[in-house]
């Protein structure tokens, strides 16, 4: 990874420990004392907040399994504002377009600091342009967030957990009810280590299957709706039938097969992008034809991965976040479709975390540079519009990490000399596949030889970049201000990069 100029200290963040490529050992907190067993924990939200002792300056947390259908964060912040609680740190596993509505709570000082995996839409634009927060947004990977909570680096005072099904004691899941969303893996570390936890549900039953045990829950709040079901279950997954996307997917599939990784007991993960899903379908055909059965597929579970399981192509699915109604149904009914926590998924302090067992990971990116660093958080224009997600976690763990992307988007090249924002270090990225060529990281000469022995042409990434730039021209120069509005952390808590406030773009 190329050296980034990082400040020694960032106001509102603290001392900066630069990324060095190795994960140091972190201490681990004990889990909090189990909540009091009582006949019923059901109460009002206001009473729960008061009983939990939430005060100015504390940290609250939310999860993003409700995606664009989320009603919970806005509801909670409205009550907090009414109560006059201010200067809060918001820790959310990710923030989506649905959360543009929380902007007034930033402007009025209810929220003054944010920890998240991603930031998008109007909210991201305003934060980057006008810097209304007291501190830069801290971007964390899914595994890094679990690590930080467990290690005490991110201390949560009060966790708010949305559930589509709950009982009086606080046992919850996301599998049942009109607002069902599937796996509920991201808030699991929150409830284990937060000082207090509040469940918000629109479906109270006599006894709920416990994805999260009521032993760690303090209060249960019943509301009319936790979200819009039509926007919860859809996610961001879509299958493409565009000829270029299918061409990239076919090239990637051939390269992955040539790598020798598609074999019995394969451990596999793919992102939810259109090209990644197309790769999944080509690989499924190959595995069925050759009687190959993988050990597991991992991550955010899509309908394509459910089809893998149903076809006997994989023995198990490990699900931290579910995409699509058919995947929710599979999680409910198939005992080999198993729910996991963010800790089990990607916490670097967990020696048994599943990303460390991956053979293949397929990623998308907004940019990749000639050192194979990936940007998935900002656009090529420097605007915040994406997320770290689990990409840095999975790339670090997988034996072969493959980036699939078109060579250009709207005549903006995918390959650049230096990405705008480093999100996944290039030392963990092995291959780039575009419609105009394939490049392999020079660190992986073994992989290059395997592809060439299968008559797959491999281009030096500088050569591929020049080929693309002859069509697109050189990318525009970005002008920034001097205020840091975002800090990008690697999964171990060290700093990969910073994001500055945006000025204008020059040609």
């Amino acid at each position: 990874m190329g050296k980034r100029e990082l400040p020694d200290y960032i106001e509102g963040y603290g001392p900066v420990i630069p990324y060095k490529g190795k994960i140091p050992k972190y201490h681990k907190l004990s889990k909090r004392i189990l909540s009091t067993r009582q006949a019923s924990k059901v109460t009002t939200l206001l009473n729960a907040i008061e009983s939990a002792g939430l005060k100015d300056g504390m940290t609250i947390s939310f999860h993003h399994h409700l995606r664009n259908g989320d009603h919970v964060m806005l509801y909670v912040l409205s009550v907090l504002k009414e109560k006059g609680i201010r200067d809060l740190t918001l820790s959310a596993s990710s923030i989506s377009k649905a959360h543009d509505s929380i902007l007034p709570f930033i402007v009025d000082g209810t929220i003054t600091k944010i920890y998240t995996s991603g930031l998008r839409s109007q909210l991201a634009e305003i934060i980057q342009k006008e810097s209304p927060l007291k501190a830069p947004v801290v971007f964390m990977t899914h595994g890094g967030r679990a690590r930080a909570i467990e290690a005490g680096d991110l201390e949560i005072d009060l966790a708010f957990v949305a559930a589509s099904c709950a009982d009086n004691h606080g046992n919850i899941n996301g599998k049942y009810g009109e607002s069902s969303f599937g796996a509920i893996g991201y808030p699991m570390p929150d409830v284990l280590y937060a000082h207090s936890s509040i469940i918000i549900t629109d479906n109270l039953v006599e006894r709920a299957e416990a994805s999260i045990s009521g032993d760690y829950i303090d209060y249960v709040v019943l509301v009319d709706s936790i979200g819009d079901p039509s926007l919860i279950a859809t996610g961001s997954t879509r299958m493409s039938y565009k000829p270029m996307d299918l061409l990239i997917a076919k090239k990637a599939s051939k390269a992955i097969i040539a790598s020798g990784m598609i074999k019995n007991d394969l451990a596999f993960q793919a992102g939810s992008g259109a090209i990644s899903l197309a790769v999944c379908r080509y690989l499924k055909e190959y595995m069925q034809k050759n009687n190959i059965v993988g050990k597991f597929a991992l991550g955010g579970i899509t309908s394509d991965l459910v089809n893998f399981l149903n076809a006997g192509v994989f023995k198990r699915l490990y699900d931290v976040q579910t995409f699509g109604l058919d995947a929710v149904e599979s999680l409910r009914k198939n005992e080999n479709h198993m729910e996991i926590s963010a800790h089990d998924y990607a916490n670097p302090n967990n020696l048994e975390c599943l990303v460390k067992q991956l053979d293949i990971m397929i990623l998308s990116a907004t940019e990749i540079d000639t050192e194979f660093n990936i940007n998935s958080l900002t656009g090529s224009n420097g605007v915040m519009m994406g997320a770290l997600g689990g990409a840095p976690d999975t790339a670090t763990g997988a034996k072969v990490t493959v980036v699939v992307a078109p060579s250009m988007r709207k005549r903006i090249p995918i390959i650049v000399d230096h990405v705008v924002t480093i999100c996944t270090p290039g030392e963990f990225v092995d291959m780039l596949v575009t419609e105009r060529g394939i490049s392999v990281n020079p660190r992986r000469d073994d992989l290059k030889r395997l592809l060439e022995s299968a008559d797959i042409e491999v281009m030096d990434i500088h050569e591929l970049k020049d080929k693309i730039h002859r069509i697109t021209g050189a990318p525009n120069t970005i002008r920034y201000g001097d205020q840091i509005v975002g800090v990008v952390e690697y999964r171990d808590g060290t700093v990969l990069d910073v994001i500055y406030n945006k000025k204008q773009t020059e040609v």
Side-chain angles (χ1 to χ4, degrees):
M1 188 184 91
K3 182 175 174 55
R4 290 288 190 179
E5 292 297 327
L6 299 173
D8 296 325
Y9 183 90
I10 298 174
E11 192 66 37
Y13 177 79
V16 173
I17 304 173
Y19 168 76
K20 294 181 180 177
K22 292 184 179 180
I23 299 177
K25 291 183 179 179
Y26 280 82
H27 66 283
K28 181 177 177 180
L29 293 178
S30 297
K31 296 178 182 178
R32 71 183 178 95
I33 298 172
L34 300 182
S35 66
T36 306
R37 290 183 178 274
Q38 56 195 67
S40 177
K41 298 176 181 178
V42 178
T43 185
T44 65
L45 180 58
L46 184 59
N47 183 61
I49 290 168
E50 290 175 346
S51 300
L54 188 67
K55 296 182 175 60
D56 292 358
M58 287 186 171
T59 298
I60 58 176
S61 76
F62 297 86
H63 63 97
H64 73 290
H65 293 280
L66 298 177
R67 290 184 285 280
N68 286 330
D70 182 28
H71 292 171
V72 171
M73 190 185 295
L74 178 61
Y75 169 55
V76 169
L77 292 178
S78 299
V79 173
L80 295 179
K81 177 179 178 174
E82 203 173 299
K83 188 165 171 56
I85 300 175
R86 298 173 52 79
D87 195 24
L88 293 168
T89 295
L90 169 65
S91 170
S93 53
S94 199
I95 293 175
S96 70
K97 183 179 179 180
H99 301 122
D100 282 348
S101 56
I102 74 169
L103 181 60
F105 302 103
I106 294 173
V107 173
D108 69 14
T110 303
I111 300 168
T112 54
K113 189 171 184 178
I114 294 176
Y115 288 83
T116 183
S117 169
L119 195 62
R120 304 165 177 85
S121 196
Q122 182 187 13
L123 184 61
E125 182 182 350
I126 297 297
I127 287 175
Q128 193 167 15
K129 267 186 175 179
E130 301 179 12
S131 310
L133 294 164
K134 286 185 179 178
V137 178
V138 180
F139 292 97
M140 313 175 88
T141 74
H142 290 322
R145 183 177 186 273
R147 176 208 57 78
I149 292 170
E150 183 181 280
D153 296 340
L154 176 56
E155 189 172 349
I156 296 171
D157 294 292
L158 184 53
F160 294 93
V161 182
S164 64
C165 184
D167 61 29
N168 289 350
H169 182 61
N171 298 303
I172 65 166
N173 64 70
K175 301 182 211 177
Y176 300 96
E178 290 185 5
S179 304
S180 59
F181 50 84
I184 192 168
Y186 291 129
M188 289 182 181
D190 301 47
V191 300
L192 288 179
Y193 297 97
H195 297 170
S196 299
S197 297
I198 298 175
I199 297 305
I200 299 178
T201 186
D202 54 9
N203 179 32
L204 200 61
V205 299
E206 184 176 348
R207 183 70 180 177
E209 180 182 318
S211 293
I212 295 177
S213 170
D215 288 342
Y216 297 97
I217 303 303
D218 299 287
Y219 311 98
V220 177
V221 175
L222 180 63
V223 296
D224 292 334
S225 173
I226 60 171
D228 182 347
S230 69
L231 298 174
I232 289 172
T234 52
S236 58
T237 62
R238 60 184 178 86
M239 176 62 182
S240 176
Y241 295 95
K242 295 178 182 177
M244 187 180 68
D245 289 354
L246 296 179
L247 174 62
I248 297 168
K250 190 166 287 189
K251 282 176 174 282
S253 302
K254 289 180 179 178
I256 292 167
I257 291 166
S259 75
M261 288 289 112
I262 306 301
K263 56 190 178 183
N264 285 326
D265 286 336
L266 163 73
F268 174 85
Q269 183 170 343
S272 59
I275 300 174
S276 294
L277 295 181
V279 175
C280 288
R281 296 191 181 186
Y282 286 127
L283 291 178
K284 177 189 170 190
E285 291 173 7
Y286 176 82
M287 292 173 74
Q288 286 180 308
K289 183 178 179 180
N290 292 276
N291 298 315
I292 295 170
V293 179
K295 184 190 251 182
F296 66 79
L298 173 66
I301 299 300
T302 64
S303 60
D304 285 270
L305 294 180
V306 169
N307 290 337
F308 272 33
L309 181 66
N310 292 339
V313 174
F314 281 94
K315 296 175 185 175
R316 287 187 179 83
L317 300 181
Y318 292 122
D319 191 345
V320 71
Q321 180 182 23
T322 313
F323 292 96
L325 290 174
D326 48 356
V328 174
E329 184 72 8
S330 172
L331 183 63
R332 277 198 290 261
K333 294 184 175 180
N334 194 327
E335 63 180 8
N336 291 316
H337 185 163
M338 305 171 73
E339 190 171 13
I340 59 170
S341 72
H343 168 82
D344 291 327
Y345 172 49
N347 183 345
N349 278 359
N350 177 5
L351 297 179
E352 301 298 323
C353 75
L354 289 160
V355 298
K356 293 183 180 180
Q357 302 175 40
L358 283 172
D359 293 298
I360 291 286
M361 177 61 200
I362 303 171
L363 295 174
S364 57
T366 58
E367 297 178 305
I368 185 169
D369 66 26
T370 53
E371 294 186 18
F372 285 81
N373 298 306
I374 292 176
N375 177 16
S376 57
L377 185 57
T378 55
S380 54
N381 57 0
V383 174
M384 295 190 293
M385 44 73 75
L388 297 182
D393 300 306
T394 53
T396 303
K399 292 184 178 69
V400 176
T401 298
V402 182
V403 176
V404 291
S407 61
M408 65 187 80
R409 295 184 177 97
K410 298 180 180 178
R411 297 191 66 82
I412 298 172
I414 185 74
I415 307 175
V416 293
D417 290 318
H418 305 285
V419 291
V420 172
T421 308
I422 297 176
C423 298
T424 300
E427 64 191 283
F428 303 119
V429 179
D430 302 301
M431 189 193 317
L432 167 66
V433 181
T434 75
E435 81 283 5
R436 285 185 166 81
I438 296 173
S439 293
V440 173
N441 194 320
R443 295 170 178 264
R444 295 300 308 270
D445 191 56
D446 60 325
L447 188 57
K448 180 182 178 184
R449 289 196 304 270
L450 287 168
L451 267 61
E452 288 177 337
S453 67
D455 293 325
I456 296 173
E457 182 183 2
V458 177
M459 298 178 68
D460 179 88
I461 195 165
H462 296 86
E463 181 186 348
L464 183 55
K465 182 204 79 171
D466 292 343
K467 180 180 180 180
I468 297 166
H469 284 206
R470 283 195 291 271
I471 300 169
T472 64
N476 293 336
T477 300
I478 302 170
R479 291 190 61 195
Y480 294 102
D482 55 7
Q483 184 175 356
I484 294 173
V485 296
V487 177
V488 183
E489 289 190 349
Y490 183 57
R491 59 202 299 255
D492 64 356
T494 57
V495 176
L496 283 167
D497 213 338
V498 294
I499 301 170
Y500 286 89
N501 62 318
K502 189 79 167 48
K503 282 191 173 179
Q504 64 185 33
T505 302
E506 293 182 341
V507 177

